[in-house]
Amino acid sequence: MTFRVSPIWCLLFLLLGCMHFKVNYAAASDDTGTNPLTFSTNDCFLTEPVYGHVFNFSTLQTDFAHWTRGAFGDTFEFNICGNLTRTCNGRSDVAACLKKANNKEYVLGTHHQLEYHNGKMYFTFSNGEKCPNSSENYKLHVYMGCDYTLDKDQSRVTSYSPNTCSFYITFETPLACLPEPDNVKGNDCSVRDPKTGHLFNLMPLSDSNYRISDRQGNAFIINVCKPVLYAENAMCPAESSVCFQKPHADYKEKFFNYGTVQPKPTIEGDKLVIRHSSPTPCNGATNYSSMINFYCDKDAKNVHPELMGFQDCVYTFSFGTPLACNELPPCTVVAHDNEIIDMSPLRNSKFTLQQDNQNYVLSICSASGEPCMENDGACLQVNNQSTSLGKSNAHLRINQTGTPYLLYEDGAICQQTSNSGLTKWSTKIEFVCANRTEGSNSKDKNVGPKIIENSNCQLLIHYQTELACREQISCKTKVYVEHSEDGTGMDFIDLTPLISNTDNYEAEIDAALMGQKQLLGKSTKIFLNVCRPLVPKYALGCPGGSAACMAKIDKDTGKPEEEKEELRLLVAVAAAAAAAGGGDGVSAQCVNI
């Protein structure tokens, strides 16, 4: 059968073809005819083309190496913005090295180039050794993934076969992200149900972007409680948590903020909701906004939101996830990695603690009973009289560092001021991991609760228990050395003898030598332990589970005050020096405050 097409239709098809070609060309080229979304540089930084933000990875250069475990017993070792400080297969000009399970080493690259492709940033390591049984040379690609909340494993290797010559590693870092808004820095993305006391924590959903499409072919890129993670084909505005992507648009007019990031969900009636406003105009009088309804789905594995509708400039999404379920047993909580922490074996346990010749009575996840008043979780007993230090509950919570705790509130009146009104007593019980270090012969004998502070109308208790330990800690590691006794090039560092279950180390740091004069004063001390949390000590009110803590010392009492889990660099230096037996500017000794 033959079709005839009139000249007017030919002209129309030609115009449509030209228009389509022009749109695609505009999205992929600039005035010079080059593609601004694909380029490379020998520098350790680049300027992304959409917003002009500079991604600088130079601080990832290390005097040691970035390590990643692969399959088949392989170990990948690489540096960013520099070479390794050790030799690989006898060569000293190496930036990336592969060590097989049989200890055979291969050079993966002697230098690297930073590549940018449509939002994807990666280092290509080249000039590697010849790959065995292949005409190719070894090559390594390290993708820089945006992650505002770093996980324990910062890098991972894409699956590969035994004879692979090219390897791909994803390295997650905040340096690959656009600036994080202040209102979500350090947020926990949680809200408590006022009816049941259950704490909903949606922060695990922030580790990934979620992409869905509408019927017109437009795409939505969504993150929860964090901005959309900058990535390939996800170059969304810095503050957007709901991002609208236009197809076939110019790259600078392709991504729009349809929902500014919010720090936590809210509860509206019986619904768990996040409402997002945006600065993007909708109809001249109203801006676009988005609403995500979270519902309980216990069996959901590959969770993702669904677009439900659009009305009055508001996009509505639904999101099924186990994190929205409100059926946890009493005295349990879901950790940031979805692991359930269970303190129910301690429920109904009752303790009487003494401090400063006073008796404190408390119970775990239950009322303490006599001599406390009805429903009291903790109380102070003086001369047969009881003072409530907080009402009992079984609502186990978890703080930003992953430490589970109970908070008994609404106790007796503690103080009354004209400005702040009434302040009532409360009791906070933080559960601290007892020593579970692999290979350690010294186990904690001081398990159970210990009074830490009784100030500012709050009783602080640290409870050491193995129930708070989420993994076995290894205090040993393999390191590469130039010459080893067995000739393998490997040696072991074992710090288990430094673990102290009775006292903490105090690091004395020469602030001038460390270049931190303004941060450290004579009244400042740093306490730390090795491969375990700090040993609970009276007056040392560091957050439960802290391995290192900085505190200002009261000049009159000599006790710590204003404890902070900060100055990570100094703490790391102090810990390393303590492990090595001290060093210039740093010394450490066990102290019992």
Side-chain angles (χ1 to χ4, degrees), residues 27 59 89 135 150 214 245 263 320 442 451 478 508 535 553 568:
T59 56
N89 198 17
S135 59
L150 288 179
D214 63 13
Q245 179 184 3
S442 175
I451 294 177
K478 291 182 179 180
E508 297 178 355
V535 177
I553 305 301
R568 297 180 182 177

Side-chain angles (χ1 to χ4, degrees), residues 104 151 185 280 351 573:
K104 175 66 176 176
D151 302 318
K185 288 181 178 179
T280 306
F351 303 92
V573 172

Side-chain angles (χ1 to χ4, degrees), residues 415-423:
Q415 62 184 15
Q416 183 174 1
T417 62
S418 57
N419 295 330
S420 59
L422 296 177
T423 302

Side-chain angles (χ1 to χ4, degrees), residues 113-330:
Q113 196 170 39
L114 179 56
E115 312 271 355
Y116 182 94
H117 177 73
N118 199 29
K120 178 170 65 177
M121 295 173 286
Y122 57 98
F123 288 94
T124 298
F125 292 76
S126 56
N127 197 29
E129 292 185 34
K130 186 178 181 301
C131 186
N133 304 318
S134 173
S135 59
E136 301 179 15
N137 285 11
Y138 275 119
K139 186 174 287 188
L140 174 66
H141 305 271
V142 178
Y143 294 101
M144 310 308 292
C146 168
D147 189 0
Y148 293 102
T149 57
L150 288 179
D151 302 318
K152 182 182 67 173
D153 297 322
Q154 193 173 3
S155 59
R156 61 183 182 275
V157 184
T158 302
S159 299
Y160 57 91
S161 64
N163 298 323
T164 296
C165 298
S166 294
F167 302 94
Y168 300 87
I169 293 176
T170 299
F171 189 94
E172 295 181 340
T173 169
L175 298 176
C177 303
L178 292 175
E180 185 178 16
D182 290 338
N183 69 317
V184 293
K185 288 181 178 179
N187 65 319
D188 58 10
C189 194
S190 63
V191 64
R192 187 169 297 280
D193 188 335
K195 296 180 181 179
T196 65
H198 177 75
L199 186 71
F200 294 100
N201 179 12
L202 302 182
M203 186 58 78
L205 298 177
S206 70
D207 288 337
S208 303
N209 291 334
Y210 306 92
R211 182 183 293 269
I212 55 178
S213 301
D214 63 13
R215 295 179 179 178
Q216 287 72 42
N218 302 307
F220 293 88
I221 309 170
I222 296 175
N223 201 292
V224 177
C225 287
K226 290 294 182 183
V228 171
L229 306 180
Y230 193 95
E232 184 176 18
N233 208 27
M235 300 94 82
C236 295
E239 297 185 350
S240 61
S241 193
V242 178
C243 175
F244 179 76
Q245 179 184 3
K246 283 185 178 180
H248 312 304
D250 181 86
Y251 68 94
K252 289 192 175 183
E253 299 177 356
K254 193 169 187 176
F255 300 94
F256 296 88
N257 181 354
Y258 274 20
T260 300
V261 62
Q262 298 299 312
K264 63 180 182 179
T266 59
I267 294 180
E268 300 179 5
D270 58 350
K271 294 182 179 180
L272 186 63
V273 177
I274 297 183
R275 292 184 180 272
H276 301 273
S277 60
S278 91
T280 306
C282 173
N283 55 16
T286 307
N287 291 350
Y288 285 103
S289 62
S290 301
M291 180 176 68
I292 305 177
N293 292 309
F294 297 88
Y295 66 92
C296 174
D297 187 346
K298 297 179 183 179
D299 301 322
K301 301 298 182 183
N302 185 22
V303 297
H304 64 279
E306 296 180 358
L307 177 62
M308 303 304 294
F310 174 71
Q311 184 176 3
D312 298 331
C313 295
V314 180
Y315 281 96
T316 303
F317 304 87
S318 65
F319 201 140
T321 169
L323 298 175
C325 298
N326 191 356
E327 299 177 3
L328 278 178

